Amino acid sequence: MPHNSRLAIVLAAGLGTRMKSERPKVMHEVANLSLVGHVLKAVSGSGIDRIAVVIGPDMLELEAEVAGRAPGAGCHVQGERLGTAHAARAASAAFADTPDQVLVLFGDTPLVSTQTLLRVSARLESGADIAVLGFHAADPTGYGRLLARDGQLLAIREERDASAEERKVDFCNSGIMGFRGARFAEILGQIGNGNAKGEYYLTDAVEIANRMGLSVVTETAEEWEVQGINTRAQLARVEADFQTRARLAAMEEGASLIAPETVFFSHDTRLGRDVLVEPNVVFGPGVVVGDKVTIRAFSHLEQAAVETGATLGPYARLRPGAKIGEGAHVGNFVEIKNASIEAGAKVNHLTYIGDARVGAKANIGAGTITCNYDGFLKHHTDIGAGVFVGSNSTLVAPLTIGEGAYLAAGGVVTEDVPANALSLGRSRQVIKEGRGEQLRARFARAKAEKQGGK
Ligand code: UD1
Ligand code: MG
């Protein structure tokens, strides 16, 4: 079957009232990616190239997220929130041409994998009219129950409508359903709202299909992969499950995590081989780490690239645009933003490098600050290869320090320094013999007078 005849509909219009949030539920994040972003990533990876996302009215932030994560996807607005079948109908323009398959996914079920979606799709290819992805829930409360007999799924019963007996069933609806495209519009059109909540339930499609004599099957996934998020506690649970998997994956790929449970990854973190990650390291989005890098404890990285053999931390902070070259060292309490630290350079202690280049093998002394901002604009600092920047230097950008220059400690450097020059940017030291002793005596007298007066 040609893959371009598959359509995925992602339902994302729900407000998620139980989250008690100003944001649409699917804009909440797991591993620094929105819930709907995770779903779009899985769908895009499965070769399904047509995606329709159902959003609520005035969800501009969500619309922008969809455009950014799945540029080809169309957004369809569900005016009122009258249930999951009503939401699917809002995308009717997307299935008017009767695709071969329609996969419906929920924006609040983020961890579903591409492979699992392909398994659902394969069931349709091998003859099923509907394939529902189910899982065995440790606690099924809140989920629709799958009522099956002899391999045929007879009904999905929502918690509110289920009998006490049906509630004991632990085989639950993940929300991911595949439909033979030729039947989809017809089935959807028959769904009513005669249930406890007065909503149009997509899950009713199963009983309708049974009445039509169609084949309805189940495919099973593990619970961690298809758990849905209706509350902030469930959001935290999914985050924890994501992190557990990301840590295992990093170790399988050849990174050592000394205390994996204390390391936090983003959805797109990439680590090379023989990377050592000490405890309590946080990877924000957009981090790529090369081979043999050591990241010492309590470091925080985001939108940063670290090349082979570099050493970071403890307590290093890499902000967006940080590029750490091969074998470079970034030490404790050092913040790097939009700057490249080239091969073998060292920035070891208590330093801020922003909007700058630090050339190969340069050495930046403790307490050095690039003054990159004048309150209006950001300015660049260029430090050539092999430069020595003495401790407590204040580098006022825009500024260029030529290769091999030597900056004496404590300088306020406002003028460019030519290659191999020495720059002294501080007032001259003055020595007064014996004056230390005199001062001490004077202060002691002053203290005695003050105390005597009380
Ligand atoms: C739904 C399923 C339930 C399943 C569970 C899995 C139905 C009726 N119930 O319940 O069987 O076990 O998911 O997590 O389908 N949405 C809209 N418009 C609406 C209503 C919902 O776009 O009018 C979207 C939501 O944004 C959400 C998804 O559909 O992404 C599911 O809605 P939600 O309210 O979370 O349904 P559940 O109660 O979780
Ligand atoms: Mg839900």
Side-chain angles (χ1 to χ4, degrees), residues 195-243:
N195 50 54
K197 226 176 159 188
E199 283 190 354
Y200 297 88
Y201 286 166
L202 187 61
T203 46
D204 285 353
V206 171
E207 276 180 286
I208 292 167
N210 272 279
R211 283 203 293 274
M212 292 163 75
L214 301 179
S215 137
V216 186
V217 301
T218 58
E219 195 49 46
T220 307
E222 281 186 66
E223 177 168 14
W224 69 264
E225 189 188 339
V226 291
Q227 58 193 318
I229 297 173
N230 291 339
T231 65
R232 298 214 190 222
Q234 288 168 336
L235 180 69
R237 176 65 210 267
V238 170
E239 177 79 45
D241 283 347
F242 177 93
Q243 293 300 339

Side-chain angles (χ1 to χ4, degrees), residues 25 106 108 228-230:
K25 174 167 70 172
F106 289 172
D108 71 351
I229 297 173
N230 291 339

Side-chain angles (χ1 to χ4, degrees), residues 147 307 319 348 387:
L147 310 177
E307 286 175 19
R319 291 177 49 207
N348 273 335
V387 165

